[in-house]
Each structure stands twice: as structure tokens, then as C-alpha cells.
Amino acid sequence: MVRESRTGAIVGCIRLNSISRQASFAVVGYEYDKRYWGKGYATEALIAVTNHCHKNMLLYRLEAWTLAGNEASDRILQKAGFRLEGTQRQKMILRGQHFDQRLFGRLADDHFA
Ligand SMILES: CC(C)(COP(=O)(O)OP(=O)(O)OC[C@H]1O[C@@H](n2cnc3c(N)ncnc32)[C@H](O)[C@@H]1OP(=O)(O)O)[C@@H](O)C(=O)NCCC(=O)NCCS
């Protein structure tokens, strides 16, 4: 869970959806309460958690998926040093509708500002 340090309020969550120690790999996912969007919390938590994954959990590769059109999610991944690696066409079905899914990856030895 991600808390706002000033108030202690829970503002969202970030998780590792799957971890493979053998492949040194995990998939990152997150959701935030709409009332707290646009404050930079999602970006800050993503950077902290992914750094922890590389440095302390010794996971080499991290992945994240976004639905095509989720510009905020694409943006926070790029700000956290993830690179767009490709698009899987019509991979996701939501409420009967197909959507492209975009794959992002970050490696422990990728360098980002
Ligand atoms: C995706 C999500 C976590 C982003 O949270 P957030 O609070 O907006 O994130 P931040 O404030 O840290 O950063 C958002 C960035 O995206 C940008 N952004 C937001 N909406 C945008 C849009 N429509 N187009 C382009 N950029 C956009 C913001 O400007 C900001 O970038 P900046 O700091 O360079 O200005 C939040 O929208 C969410 O929980 N969505 C629902 C669940 C979800 O989509 N999860 C991800 C599944 S892949």
C-alpha cells in the first residue's frame, strides 16, 4: 500500500504480480485512488519499488503492461526508466471489447536520469 506521508492516507497500491527467482524477473502493477491522481505519488512509488526490486530483491528484469491509450500509465513507466518494448495486438478483453496491450521493460543495468 502507498500512503501519503503528510496525512497517512492510503492513496493506492503497487504490487509484483509474479516473481520468478529463477528467471530473475517480476511484473509490476499499480492502482491509485482518483482523488490522489496527478500528484506524482504513482511515479515516486514506482521508482522506489523498482529500485528495491533491483537492488535488494536482486531481480534483473521488471515488466509492466498498459492498455493502449492509458497515457498516464505509459508516462509514469517512462519516468521510472521503463522502455516500450512492443505492442501485443488485441491481447486484452475488457467488457467484451478487445484492446492492444503495450509491454514495458526495465533492466537492473539500464541507466536513467
Ligand atoms: C496510471 C495511474 C497510476 C497514474 O497515477 P497518477 O497519480 O496520475 O501518476 P503521477 O501523478 O505520478 O504521474 C502521472 C503522469 O502522467 C501524465 N498524464 C496524466 N494523464 C495524461 C494523459 N492523458 N496524457 C498524457 N500524460 C498524462 C501526468 O502529466 C504525469 O506526468 P508529468 O509528471 O510528467 O506531468 C492512475 O491514473 C491510476 O491509478 N489509474 C487506474 C489504474 C491503472 O490504470 N493502472 C495501471 C494499469 S496498466
Side-chain angles (χ1 to χ4, degrees), residues 42-105:
T43 305
E44 186 181 337
L46 183 61
I47 291 171
V49 168
T50 50
N51 284 346
H52 174 77
C53 287
H54 289 317
K55 288 182 185 149
N56 303 111
M57 296 178 73
L58 304 179
L59 296 170
Y60 180 66
R61 176 177 167 81
L62 301 172
E63 281 185 4
W65 293 94
T66 68
L67 284 190
N70 190 345
E71 309 269 359
S73 191
D74 287 357
R75 176 81 184 126
I76 70 167
L77 287 167
Q78 280 157 351
K79 285 172 72 182
F82 282 75
R83 298 184 195 174
L84 179 63
E85 295 180 338
T87 299
Q88 284 188 297
R89 295 176 304 144
Q90 307 293 288
K91 170 101 187 272
M92 177 78 79
I93 301 179
L94 277 180
R95 292 179 285 277
Q97 205 184 334
H98 292 260
F99 293 89
D100 287 352
Q101 208 171 249
R102 287 153 63 84
L103 170 65
F104 290 80

